[in-house]
Amino acid sequence: MLNNKMTELLNIKYPIIQAPMAGGITTATFVAEASNCGVLGMIGAGYLSPNQLREQIREVKELTSNSFGVNLFVPSEFETSDAEINGAIKCLQPIREQLDLQAIESFEIPKFTDELETFHEQMKVVIDEKVPVCSFTFGLPSKEVIDQLRQQNIILMGTATTVKEAVENEENGMDFVVVQGSEAGGHRGTFMNTSQESLVGLMSLIPQVVDCVTIPVVAAGGIMDGRGLMASICLGARGVQMGTAFLTCIESGATDIHKEEILNSSEDQVVLTRSFSGKWARGVQNKFILQMQQHEASLPNFPVQNTLTKDIRTASSLQNNKDFLSLWSGQSPRLAKKQTVKSLIKKMIDEANTIRNQNKVGE
Amino acid sequence: MLNNKMTELLNIKYPIIQAPMAGGITTATFVAEASNCGVLGMIGAGYLSPNQLREQIREVKELTSNSFGVNLFVPSEFETSDAEINGAIKCLQPIREQLDLQAIESFEIPKFTDELETFHEQMKVVIDEKVPVCSFTFGLPSKEVIDQLRQQNIILMGTATTVKEAVENEENGMDFVVVQGSEAGGHRGTFMNTSQESLVGLMSLIPQVVDCVTIPVVAAGGIMDGRGLMASICLGARGVQMGTAFLTCIESGATDIHKEEILNSSEDQVVLTRSFSGKWARGVQNKFILQMQQHEASLPNFPVQNTLTKDIRTASSLQNNKDFLSLWSGQSPRLAKKQTVKSLIKKMIDEANTIRNQNKVGE
């Protein structure tokens, strides 16, 4: 009943993708459980080394025979300066002290060439391991990389936050485009527009993209249940990708403190910040976001700021301290539940079918 | 088929409200045409004097026997200072020169007590003229005012941009709540939250509000066609309120230049600004918004800034110059069409029924 071009091409039962959330959330068990429940499980591999990625792919394969995917961050060149980095180090210092972390003595700037090399190695793992689906965030890979993946019959998905970016995805050979509304949690996938231009709500974004591309559109951002799935389909999407709804599931690898913070939040406590990584991202407001707000505009770009805050986030997590963690969440935390992946999917499909069949639509 | 509690209570054929757009857009002819086409026509009376309002209501009554409504701005106290005002005058001066406007020699600060008096006189007109529906923006009126209106069996609608504001609407006796998503054009109706907290996309806002109130919810923001109507209904709204979709209609009182700018814009060109009025509002980016951006944070609050820019907007309009006009628009300008109100409604209802009946929903 909810079958369409998306479920067919991705070889899944329901038109739902478990969003690839980087940073330890999408463990092999969790991804495999999503796939076993009839949706597309996705490994958020942005921060994984090629070896870690290979290992995780193999674990997923052992736990499910269903389709699954891997998401990669496309590196892009970035500019920074010593002054910018020293400024960031200075304003992060009081936070380091609160966490009993030593002051940063020296800092090695991440190199774009290294990032690119890792990306190509990750890609090689995806090809070697014959991963069925590969998706991209923060841009699109080169034509060569895309051709290589297509030759292996790997289904390709890109991310877009505006119509322009969605068209770019289609023109560069993506099979699907995930449109990320302003509601979405975690990092904005924007790669061609400015941050302000790209904060488009799904009610506007989906139909405008659908009218301009021919590839199937997947909606992402604030979608938590059957209502969001059916609304996305009415707007012209083929299905949805959900992050926060999966993140608070029992099987997800998110920390308990992260899950609890989402479960206790309301939509007006979920804000945009670039203080964690240098890229804009949405999460539950905490002490770190508030304290860094005044410095936000002058912080270095991704991945520099991300590297600078890494041990702060790790220490905060180890100390079970929510204050300095990135508590990524979309704008619908009131709809988040502590439940199994199976229960999430079952309730969602039941609700979607109820809306569709009972003529609630329109009545 | 699209009948529900909303159409019943508002005594309209379709669950659609023509948004009350202040500033000359909602002429009597336009409002009456909307009502004659089976939706709720609304007079945007925020900037109308009590006499102008009375006249316009009477004109609408002559042109339609169907239901219609009036929207009022609820005044709230504001703080300002001579320094702030002089700063604003200074940065507006180059723009005044470009428009051949004389420099501001003296400026009288609008008084809250005057604003309140006008509001109460507008209210009296609504009661005297037995207007069927009255809606509010920027807050809620006092209990006394609400009681008075309810005694006259006037249907009351409030505006909310967060769950907290929606609950406040219900607790204060509103019969409906219009939830304004971050996609919406024109002024943000926010009155309890900060501007950042209140930028919630409809995909998140509708279901979270629906779960927390018992009064019918009307969705507003970026909705332009049958897809948006059906999506809103799937999310739990009873119907929709549309601004931009009506604004570009042939019968609307918006200037041709305003209509053309929307028709030629894309979603990434529609931005938030507080430079026109002191309140955050969404419109097509132009020279005024760009030039004022650096001063935005220090400009006086509404209605002070609004008064300061009034003759700039008037002169720009008279000179057919788009550069210094407030070109309000929601985030879906690509879906705007130059068409009659009748054609807008007909196509919308046909599309909604197609989505519903042809099982496109879920296919």
Side-chain angles (χ1 to χ4, degrees):
Chain A
M1 276 195 301
L2 285 162
N3 293 345
N4 62 29
K5 203 173 164 186
M6 171 176 167
T7 52
E8 216 174 275
L9 270 171
L10 294 176
N11 194 20
I12 49 178
K13 191 167 175 194
Y14 306 117
I16 300 168
I17 299 172
Q18 162 253 308
M21 296 168 278
I25 298 174
T26 57
T27 60
T29 336
F30 174 56
V31 172
E33 180 59 16
S35 289
N36 284 331
C37 288
V39 311
L40 190 75
M42 293 281 289
I43 299 172
Y47 303 129
L48 297 184
S49 71
N51 281 338
Q52 287 172 319
L53 176 56
R54 189 184 305 270
E55 199 178 321
Q56 206 171 322
I57 291 169
R58 291 184 178 173
E59 271 185 77
V60 170
K61 283 182 184 165
E62 274 176 30
L63 296 166
T64 185
S65 53
N66 288 353
S67 189
F68 70 98
V70 163
N71 174 268
L72 299 173
F73 291 170
V74 181
S76 52
E77 295 200 62
F78 52 89
E79 281 184 9
T80 189
S81 67
D82 284 349
E84 203 179 49
I85 291 171
N86 289 333
I89 289 175
K90 198 176 156 195
C91 60
L92 289 169
Q93 183 53 27
I95 292 170
R96 299 184 70 85
E97 281 164 21
Q98 287 177 73
L99 289 163
D100 290 323
L101 284 169
Q102 286 198 314
I104 295 180
E105 300 281 327
S106 70
F107 177 73
E108 202 177 330
I109 301 172
K111 284 197 190 68
F112 171 64
T113 45
D114 292 349
E115 303 270 318
L116 202 61
E117 200 186 314
T118 306
F119 177 68
H120 285 122
E121 285 172 16
Q122 289 171 326
M123 195 69 60
K124 201 174 165 301
V125 173
V126 168
I127 292 173
D128 286 352
E129 294 295 327
K130 301 190 195 330
V131 174
V133 181
C134 186
S135 78
F136 303 100
T137 309
F138 305 148
L140 292 163
S142 65
K143 196 180 170 305
E144 293 67 44
V145 170
I146 293 173
D147 287 347
Q148 243 183 315
L149 290 160
R150 293 188 71 92
Q151 276 166 21
Q152 307 295 318
N153 295 317
I154 294 173
I155 301 281
L156 304 181
M157 284 197 282
T159 309
T161 60
T162 60
V163 172
K164 183 159 72 174
E165 291 177 351
V167 170
E168 185 78 2
N169 268 273
E170 172 156 45
E171 286 176 351
N172 281 272
M174 294 296 110
D175 298 299
F176 285 85
V177 59
V178 177
V179 299
Q180 185 190 34
S182 55
E183 297 92 342
H187 282 103
R188 307 286 310 144
T190 309
F191 64 99
M192 295 176 78
N193 288 85
T194 67
S195 58
Q196 198 195 4
E197 287 168 358
S198 67
L199 285 169
V200 185
L202 283 182
M203 190 63 83
S204 287
L205 188 59
I206 302 172
Q208 290 181 102
V209 167
V210 164
D211 288 353
C212 294
V213 300
T214 61
I215 51 174
V217 170
V218 178
I223 300 161
M224 306 290 283
D225 55 24
R227 295 177 288 187
L229 171 60
M230 291 313 289
S232 300
I233 289 174
C234 285
L235 291 167
R238 294 296 180 145
V240 299
Q241 176 172 294
M242 304 194 301
T244 314
F246 280 101
L247 191 153
T248 59
C249 281
I250 290 160
E251 298 94 334
S252 105
T255 57
D256 286 342
I257 206 166
H258 190 170
K259 294 181 187 180
E260 282 306 316
E261 281 303 302
I262 293 175
L263 293 166
N264 292 324
S265 288
S266 54
E267 79 295 348
D268 49 1
Q269 295 172 316
V270 175
V271 300
L272 288 165
T273 179
R274 64 181 291 274
S275 300
F276 283 111
S277 74
K279 271 192 196 284
W280 288 99
R282 193 183 286 287
V284 180
Q285 187 157 58
N286 63 0
K287 221 168 162 178
F288 183 87
I289 294 176
L290 286 168
Q291 284 186 9
M292 294 296 290
Q293 209 152 31
Q294 54 179 318
H295 312 290
E296 205 165 40
S298 57
L299 296 172
N301 282 326
F302 186 90
V304 181
Q305 181 67 7
N306 195 58
T307 311
L308 283 169
T309 64
K310 197 178 173 190
D311 56 352
I312 291 176
R313 288 175 281 125
T314 307
S316 190
S317 176
L318 289 172
Q319 295 173 26
N320 227 15
N321 180 347
K322 67 174 187 189
D323 293 342
F324 307 106
L325 274 176
S326 50
L327 303 163
W328 303 145
S329 169
Q331 286 193 310
S332 312
R334 291 177 191 262
L335 308 181
K337 286 189 181 64
K338 189 176 173 175
Q339 61 189 337
T340 60
V341 170
K342 194 174 173 183
S343 157
L344 167 67
I345 305 300
K346 187 186 179 315
K347 280 192 266 178
M348 188 158 171
I349 298 300
D350 286 351
E351 188 177 30
N353 283 325
T354 305
I355 292 171
R356 206 162 62 91
N357 297 331
Q358 287 192 342
N359 255 3
K360 188 180 162 186
V361 174
E363 218 155 31
Chain B
M1 274 196 301
L2 285 161
N3 293 345
N4 62 29
K5 204 173 162 186
M6 172 177 166
T7 52
E8 216 174 275
L9 270 170
L10 294 176
N11 195 20
I12 49 179
K13 192 166 174 195
Y14 305 118
I16 300 168
I17 298 173
Q18 163 253 306
M21 295 168 278
I25 299 174
T26 57
T27 60
T29 335
F30 174 57
V31 172
E33 181 59 17
S35 288
N36 283 331
C37 289
V39 310
L40 191 74
M42 293 283 289
I43 299 172
Y47 303 130
L48 296 184
S49 72
N51 280 338
Q52 288 173 318
L53 176 56
R54 189 183 305 271
E55 200 179 320
Q56 205 171 321
I57 291 169
R58 289 183 179 173
E59 272 185 77
V60 170
K61 283 181 184 165
E62 274 176 31
L63 297 167
T64 185
S65 54
N66 288 354
S67 188
F68 70 98
V70 163
N71 173 269
L72 299 173
F73 290 170
V74 180
S76 52
E77 295 199 63
F78 52 90
E79 280 185 10
T80 189
S81 68
D82 285 347
E84 202 178 49
I85 291 170
N86 290 333
I89 288 175
K90 199 176 154 195
C91 59
L92 290 169
Q93 183 54 27
I95 293 170
R96 300 184 70 84
E97 281 163 20
Q98 287 176 74
L99 289 163
D100 290 323
L101 285 169
Q102 287 197 315
I104 295 179
E105 300 280 327
S106 70
F107 177 74
E108 204 178 327
I109 301 172
K111 285 196 190 69
F112 171 64
T113 46
D114 292 349
E115 303 269 318
L116 202 61
E117 201 186 313
T118 306
F119 176 69
H120 284 122
E121 285 170 18
Q122 289 171 325
M123 196 68 62
K124 201 174 165 300
V125 173
V126 169
I127 292 173
D128 287 352
E129 295 294 329
K130 301 189 195 335
V131 174
V133 180
C134 186
S135 78
F136 303 99
T137 309
F138 305 146
L140 291 164
S142 65
K143 194 179 172 305
E144 293 68 41
V145 169
I146 293 173
D147 287 347
Q148 244 183 315
L149 290 160
R150 292 188 72 93
Q151 276 165 23
Q152 308 295 318
N153 295 317
I154 294 171
I155 301 281
L156 303 181
M157 284 197 283
T159 309
T161 60
T162 60
V163 172
K164 183 158 75 174
E165 291 178 352
V167 169
E168 185 78 2
N169 267 273
E170 171 156 45
E171 286 177 352
N172 281 272
M174 294 297 110
D175 298 299
F176 285 86
V177 62
V178 177
V179 299
Q180 186 189 34
S182 55
E183 296 92 342
H187 281 102
R188 306 286 311 145
T190 310
F191 64 99
M192 295 175 80
N193 288 85
T194 66
S195 57
Q196 199 195 3
E197 288 168 357
S198 66
L199 285 169
V200 186
L202 283 181
M203 190 64 81
S204 287
L205 188 58
I206 301 172
Q208 290 181 101
V209 167
V210 164
D211 288 353
C212 293
V213 300
T214 62
I215 51 173
V217 170
V218 178
I223 300 160
M224 306 290 282
D225 55 25
R227 294 177 288 186
L229 171 60
M230 292 314 288
S232 300
I233 289 173
C234 286
L235 291 167
R238 294 297 182 145
V240 299
Q241 177 172 293
M242 303 194 301
T244 314
F246 279 103
L247 192 154
T248 59
C249 281
I250 289 159
E251 298 93 333
S252 106
T255 57
D256 286 342
I257 205 166
H258 190 170
K259 293 181 187 181
E260 283 305 316
E261 281 303 302
I262 293 175
L263 293 166
N264 293 324
S265 288
S266 55
E267 80 294 348
D268 50 0
Q269 295 172 318
V270 175
V271 299
L272 287 165
T273 179
R274 64 181 291 273
S275 300
F276 283 110
S277 74
K279 271 192 196 286
W280 288 98
R282 191 182 288 285
V284 180
Q285 187 158 58
N286 62 1
K287 222 167 161 178
F288 183 87
I289 294 176
L290 286 169
Q291 284 186 7
M292 295 295 288
Q293 210 151 30
Q294 54 178 318
H295 313 291
E296 207 166 41
S298 57
L299 297 172
N301 281 327
F302 185 90
V304 180
Q305 180 68 6
N306 195 57
T307 310
L308 283 169
T309 64
K310 197 179 173 188
D311 55 353
I312 290 175
R313 289 175 281 126
T314 308
S316 190
S317 176
L318 288 172
Q319 295 174 27
N320 226 17
N321 180 347
K322 67 173 187 189
D323 293 343
F324 307 106
L325 274 176
S326 51
L327 303 164
W328 301 145
S329 170
Q331 286 192 311
S332 312
R334 291 176 191 263
L335 308 182
K337 286 190 180 64
K338 189 176 173 175
Q339 60 187 340
T340 60
V341 170
K342 195 172 169 183
S343 158
L344 167 67
I345 305 302
K346 189 186 176 316
K347 279 191 266 178
M348 189 159 171
I349 298 300
D350 286 351
E351 188 177 31
N353 283 325
T354 304
I355 292 171
R356 206 163 63 91
N357 296 331
Q358 287 192 342
N359 254 4
K360 187 179 163 187
V361 173
E363 208 159 42

